[in-house]
Amino acid sequence: MKLIGLALLVPVIMGLSGDPAAGIPHFRQQTIPTGGRGPRWISIADINRDGNPDILVTNADSGTLTVLLGDGRGQFAPSPGSPFAAGGQPNDLGIADMNGDGNLDLVIPNHQTPYITILLGNGKGGFRSAPGSPFDVHSFPHPHGVAIGDFDGDGRPDVMTDSWGHNQVQLLFGDGRGGLHLPGRFFPTGHRPYERLRTADFNHDGHPDIVTTNLDDGTVTILLGDGKGSFHEAPGSPIAAGGKPWQMFVGDVNGDGNADLAIIPYQRDLTDESQDVLTILTGDGRGGFARQPGPSLTLKGCRGPNAVTAGSLGSGRQVIAVGCAQSKTLLLFDRQGNAGYVSSSIPIAGGWGGIALGALTRDGRPALVTADADRGTITILSPE
């Protein structure tokens, strides 16, 4: 991306974190304003099709979406027109080509409203509302999260959201033109699938499945898709997932090729201090999950855990990262092979914002990104 003139340059604050002598990871920090209030959910994708990773951020307090276009070398600038209107209190961010034009589009649930907003991308970093957006999806009492996949096998992306007041998830079929067929189909879950639902192929049958965290019964529900728009619970589901399971990461945490779950609790509602832990459920590749053996990974000192992600930070380093909103720290668990995990903590601007981990440069160098909700910024933490 070519920058023309100083008006397009993003103010950046550079700094260092960590203390190698004390065994704390060392990161170079780059802080970028989002132009919106209360940045929260972060995603990484190539939005303008130039081969470089870009960063997308929903700004909950201003109802906007920030698009930061990457140059492939670790620098980012706002897309023309950014931030874009994204509906009231955008609370999650799904990415897919919803209208079949080859450009990535966005699906955004609007917290405290009955709506889901769909923004269609122009392939250059710009977005406009899809016809009919926002969509009244009849979720009870309102949607929190979204998961996107071709759940009925027609080649068009569909949207799954939560109807947590009725202990259900709701499948909304995509029309292939950027819209949704309403009201959709409902499927039962555990009690109060309050915030997160995600999709992955848990049983390797080629069809996308769904997982929800069930806040009130301490479980996750695994719904296996048949590829025709229907779901059934996996054997053993719902599965115990610790006290007040809330936010989660879905991915291969232990390197065996199966999707696993890393789950953090809604700490405020815990009544048993021993449940203040990161729970890892390892998948068996058939839709079943079991708690990872070994000692619990304590969240002691992490006040207000509100986001979790996992992945590689390069040089063979595999981590699970937990954002701690109230203590304004990032808690890192480094996997030591079969020896378990070593934890460390670094200060971040933090607040009630999300975190992401992924490649931010053309050569694939990974970094962590935190949403600094109290400051209207994001911070990129690149390993030194």
Side-chain angles (χ1 to χ4, degrees):
M1 177 183 54
K2 185 177 181 180
L3 297 180
I4 304 175
L6 293 177
L8 291 181
L9 294 177
V10 176
V12 172
I13 304 167
M14 305 298 290
L16 298 175
S17 63
D19 180 359
I24 299 174
H26 196 205
F27 292 91
R28 182 173 179 81
Q29 292 191 9
Q30 178 184 358
T31 300
I32 306 173
T34 67
R37 300 186 309 277
R40 190 171 183 195
W41 298 108
I42 305 169
S43 290
I44 300 169
D46 180 9
I47 289 297
N48 61 346
R49 303 173 64 176
D50 65 352
N52 301 320
D54 308 310
I55 299 174
L56 300 97
V57 189
T58 59
N59 303 301
D61 296 342
S62 55
T64 59
L65 168 87
T66 295
V67 178
L68 298 169
L69 301 180
D71 65 0
R73 298 183 299 275
Q75 298 300 310
F76 295 84
S79 173
S82 177
F84 301 93
Q89 297 188 51
N91 195 62
D92 201 358
L93 183 58
I95 303 176
D97 181 2
M98 298 297 293
N99 62 349
D101 67 352
N103 301 321
L104 292 177
D105 310 311
L106 308 177
V107 181
I108 303 170
N110 298 119
H111 183 46
Q112 299 293 349
T113 82
Y115 299 116
I116 284 179
T117 293
I118 295 182
L119 300 179
L120 301 181
N122 64 6
K124 301 176 183 178
F127 290 90
R128 60 179 175 84
S129 291
S133 179
F135 298 92
D136 186 342
V137 298
H138 306 288
S139 163
F140 181 80
H142 48 253
H144 273 109
V146 290
I148 304 177
D150 181 8
F151 297 115
D152 61 354
D154 67 354
R156 303 168 180 172
D158 309 306
V159 176
M160 188 78 83
T161 191
D162 55 292
S163 187
W164 56 271
H166 286 158
N167 301 321
Q168 295 175 322
V169 291
Q170 180 184 12
L171 175 57
L172 303 159
F173 296 105
D175 65 8
R177 301 184 300 274
L180 301 172
H181 293 298
L182 302 172
R185 301 182 62 186
F186 292 85
F187 300 91
T189 66
H191 293 285
R192 203 179 177 200
Y194 179 67
E195 183 85 19
R196 280 309 119 225
L197 74 163
R198 290 293 182 251
T199 184
D201 183 3
F202 294 121
N203 59 350
H204 297 290
D205 67 352
H207 305 312
D209 309 312
I210 290 290
V211 57
T212 70
T213 51
N214 305 314
L215 192 67
D216 285 353
D217 60 13
T219 66
V220 294
T221 292
I222 307 296
L223 296 174
L224 301 180
D226 66 359
K228 301 176 182 178
S230 291
F231 292 83
H232 66 276
E233 282 202 62
S237 175
I239 300 164
K244 300 298 178 182
W246 185 36
Q247 306 290 347
M248 68 176 159
F249 167 82
V250 180
D252 184 5
V253 172
N254 61 359
D256 66 355
N258 300 321
D260 309 309
L261 310 176
I263 304 164
I264 57 175
Y266 193 50
Q267 192 180 66
R268 188 190 69 177
D269 287 358
L270 290 176
T271 57
D272 182 350
E273 193 174 283
S274 68
Q275 295 180 329
D276 191 16
V277 297
L278 169 67
T279 298
I280 299 176
L281 300 179
T282 57
D284 62 8
R286 300 184 298 275
F289 289 83
R291 190 182 291 264
Q292 180 171 274
S296 297
L297 301 180
T298 180
L299 296 175
K300 184 178 181 180
C302 174
R303 290 185 291 108
N306 74 301
V308 57
T309 191
S312 171
L313 278 180
S315 303
R317 183 182 178 194
Q318 299 292 322
V319 302
I320 303 174
V322 178
C324 309
Q326 292 170 303
S327 54
K328 296 193 174 182
T329 54
L330 187 66
L331 184 58
L332 293 178
F333 295 95
D334 279 75
R335 184 157 66 91
Q336 308 293 305
N338 295 329
Y341 291 83
V342 173
S343 66
S344 58
S345 181
I346 60 174
I348 58 174
W352 293 96
I355 56 177
L357 192 161
L360 293 183
T361 57
R362 186 183 285 267
D363 61 4
R365 283 175 289 161
L368 284 156
V369 187
T370 68
D372 313 325
D374 300 335
R375 299 187 181 183
T377 62
I378 62 167
T379 298
I380 299 171
L381 298 101
S382 304
E384 289 281 287

